[in-house]
Amino acid sequence: MSSERLVKKLPNDIGGTGCSTDKVHIFERELYPWEKRCHALLDVLDYHKIINTEEKRRGTENIGSEMASQLSYYEKWIVSASNLLLQKGILTPDAIAVKTKEVAARFNVTL
Amino acid sequence: MNEHHHGHDHTDGHEHDHTPIVNEEKPGYYEILEISIRELLIEKGIIKADEVRKQIEVLDSRSPVLGSKLVVKAWLDPDFRVRLIHNGNAAAEEMGISIYDNTEFTILEDTPEVHHVIVCTLCSCYPRPILGLPPDWYKSKEYRARTVKEPRAVLAEFGTVISDDVQIVVQDSTASQRYMVLPLRPQGTENFTEAELESLVTRDTMIGVTIPRI
Amino acid sequence: MTMKIVDHKPALFKEGEKAKIAEKFPIGHYRVPMYVRGKTVLIVKNLGRHINPELEAFGKNAGDEEWYYQVTIPQKELWPDYEGKDDDLLEIEVFEPWLDPINNAL
């Protein structure tokens, strides 16, 4: 199969794929606190017209099929938001690098 | 995955703020990223910490209970049903529910001849201002891939069998409409109280994967 | 009373009319899934005007509004092996730039 399919078809465009043996895993869980904060953050950014919902969606699509399949729902949201804030010149890559290192140290975690 | 524990000590020398929204377990990469992005935006004065907290409260205030109240009111009051179908946002406001996200709350009215089921194949569009946050299965690959092409098989996995003489309409939500099924009121509920009726209207009946049953 | 100057084209399609979803391949963002491309649809409702999501996705928050419609497609026309009632439907919202009139469909 040629690679052009990866360009033409967004990784989230899955309507009609799969088969009858792909049973729906009827599962649900409470959001982790960080996921709820992430959701609220994107809502606040939308309200301020900094990142609208459609931009956020595009940001979860244009990460490519490998990331799209491996990242969870809210993991995609926060990566999307980060990339959009970089594209808009609101944050810089180094600011994110420095801050994540600081936050990780706060929790005694190595990145 | 990790339960919220209050078990760590402060011997690492770092003072940190035990505000209610901080998870005490060691954060993974994405949580660190979320904390970092939020703090950077607050430091730059682009957003305020309070705004995120307030929005969490808004998210927490929405649940299927709100949807069930709208459904039962529509069952009991034909004029409200008409208003709800004609303008979902205005009808929700009547009941004190604000649609906070510029979407159009849209009712899909089941009849004895037509059953609706809602899916968002491209992402996870869902009437969050009414029903709260969607369940994981609604956002899953399997539900999003298969509901549009084999709704009866998917509904059967939820224990729902739609009769062969009932038309199924699958709504693939792709724009700014946010859909909720107005299910049929079950037979034999003529003497039910509002509370009893509301208990029949579960979240899954408003997505359309199940139907209200006594 | 002042006259409102309407600066947009009238809606191309009427409720009850048929149309065809275009077969074309944008890059970057779209809201018309592959499984409905090229299909004949029935226009059931004019949903009004809204900013084009393909432009909104690239930061446009105002202007460039387009008409969009609620359309239906019989399931048996979407899926060759469809098991269900003959009149089971798929319903979906589609923006006007994605819809071609039946007579002029390319």
Side-chain angles (χ1 to χ4, degrees):
Chain A
M1 194 187 298
S2 70
S3 65
E4 66 190 73
R5 189 165 180 76
L6 296 171
V7 179
K8 286 148 82 176
K9 190 176 194 190
L10 294 172
N12 56 307
D13 184 2
I14 59 171
T17 63
C19 55
S20 303
T21 51
D22 301 325
K23 301 295 180 204
V24 178
H25 183 208
I26 302 175
F27 161 79
E28 58 191 291
R29 60 164 174 83
E30 288 292 312
L31 260 53
Y32 306 137
W34 83 261
E35 292 177 322
K36 195 169 277 188
R37 294 193 308 261
C38 176
H39 191 124
L41 175 65
L42 269 299
D43 281 352
V44 170
L45 291 173
D46 183 40
Y47 175 77
H48 283 297
K49 297 197 192 300
I50 292 170
I51 295 178
N52 70 46
T53 303
E54 209 67 53
E55 286 177 295
K56 176 197 70 194
R57 284 185 190 133
R58 177 177 66 86
T60 66
E61 296 160 6
N62 68 3
I63 50 178
S65 56
E66 190 174 11
M67 280 177 74
S69 66
Q70 293 196 36
L71 271 61
S72 73
Y73 185 81
Y74 284 103
E75 289 170 355
K76 285 200 269 275
W77 276 39
I78 195 60
V79 168
S80 168
S82 304
N83 284 329
L84 286 159
L85 293 166
L86 290 168
Q87 280 163 31
K88 291 166 186 271
I90 293 172
L91 298 178
T92 63
D94 193 59
I96 295 177
V98 168
K99 177 57 89 170
T100 53
K101 187 168 177 171
E102 175 207 313
V103 171
R106 204 189 294 167
F107 290 98
N108 248 325
V109 169
T110 311
L111 283 176
Chain B
M1 223 165 296
N2 299 314
E3 292 301 322
H4 180 100
H5 289 306
H6 229 297
H8 74 293
D9 60 29
H10 285 257
T11 56
D12 57 8
H14 293 288
E15 293 282 79
H16 51 269
D17 189 12
H18 282 252
T19 48
I21 59 172
V22 174
N23 185 9
E24 316 272 355
E25 277 294 330
K26 283 210 190 286
Y29 172 71
Y30 297 96
E31 178 169 6
I32 289 171
L33 186 58
E34 173 267 322
I35 294 168
S36 302
I37 298 296
R38 176 167 39 85
E39 290 185 2
L40 283 169
L41 292 172
I42 292 167
E43 283 163 25
K44 286 175 165 291
I46 291 169
I47 64 169
K48 299 191 191 43
D50 226 55
E51 293 182 276
V52 175
R53 257 179 265 264
K54 287 205 172 98
Q55 184 58 16
I56 290 175
E57 283 170 23
V58 171
L59 295 174
D60 286 341
S61 73
R62 309 306 166 100
S63 83
V65 167
L66 300 179
S68 70
K69 288 190 184 301
L70 293 173
V71 167
V72 170
K73 193 165 158 88
W75 284 352
L76 298 175
D77 179 348
D79 291 337
F80 181 76
R81 176 188 281 259
V82 169
R83 292 200 301 280
L84 181 63
I85 288 167
H86 178 68
N87 185 334
N89 288 31
E93 297 277 350
E94 259 186 66
M95 302 281 278
I97 307 163
S98 66
I99 306 299
Y100 58 76
D101 62 357
N102 296 319
T103 57
E104 275 191 55
F105 179 53
T106 306
I107 295 298
L108 299 174
E109 188 187 21
D110 273 6
T111 70
E113 294 82 34
V114 184
H115 177 71
H116 296 85
V117 59
I118 302 160
V119 62
C120 176
T121 61
L122 292 172
C123 49
S124 63
C125 298
Y126 186 81
R128 289 175 175 83
I130 306 291
L131 297 184
L133 298 178
D136 294 74
W137 58 258
Y138 183 84
K139 303 185 285 191
S140 72
K141 275 199 151 87
E142 294 78 14
Y143 185 77
R144 288 166 45 220
R146 294 176 50 226
T147 304
V148 287
K149 70 170 172 174
E150 44 179 8
R152 289 166 191 275
V154 170
L155 260 50
E157 288 169 32
F158 285 86
T160 304
V161 177
I162 300 295
S163 149
D164 282 342
D165 56 359
V166 172
Q167 178 193 43
I168 290 193
V169 177
V170 180
Q171 185 77 46
D172 190 355
S173 186
T174 55
S176 54
Q177 278 59 28
R178 292 291 175 272
Y179 296 98
M180 190 180 88
V181 173
L182 174 52
L184 283 174
R185 178 176 178 175
Q187 305 280 11
T189 60
E190 294 73 27
N191 297 319
F192 276 37
T193 63
E194 269 188 47
E196 284 168 337
L197 289 169
E198 282 168 20
S199 72
L200 300 180
V201 184
T202 61
R203 179 208 53 213
D204 289 358
T205 65
M206 294 180 279
I207 299 172
V209 293
T210 61
I211 54 181
R213 275 193 193 94
I214 300 175
Chain C
M1 182 157 124
T2 52
M3 278 268 288
K4 186 176 178 190
I5 313 267
V6 171
D7 62 355
H8 55 71
K9 305 185 301 285
L12 200 53
F13 300 99
K14 296 188 198 25
E15 292 170 14
E17 201 180 326
K18 288 204 169 167
K20 198 159 192 252
I21 294 182
E23 293 190 80
K24 56 185 181 179
F25 300 97
I27 287 185
H29 189 66
Y30 59 74
R31 294 296 287 175
V32 178
M34 288 275 189
Y35 77 90
V36 298
R37 304 272 178 95
K39 300 299 179 192
T40 299
V41 306
L42 176 69
I43 308 280
V44 297
K45 192 170 184 205
N46 177 320
L47 294 171
R49 295 172 60 72
H50 197 279
I51 183 166
N52 185 331
E54 290 167 20
L55 300 179
E56 194 176 17
F58 288 91
K60 213 160 209 308
N61 290 315
D64 285 304
E65 290 173 346
E66 303 273 6
W67 293 102
Y68 72 119
Y69 305 90
Q70 188 76 268
V71 309
T72 60
I73 309 169
Q75 290 280 45
K76 62 185 185 196
E77 289 180 22
L78 283 169
W79 320 108
D81 299 329
Y82 185 73
E83 280 172 18
K85 200 158 175 287
D86 270 357
D87 62 352
D88 282 354
L89 293 174
L90 189 287
E91 188 165 74
I92 189 170
E93 302 94 54
V94 181
F95 275 73
E96 199 172 84
W98 275 93
L99 293 167
D100 294 324
I102 287 284
N103 297 330
N104 303 336
L106 295 165

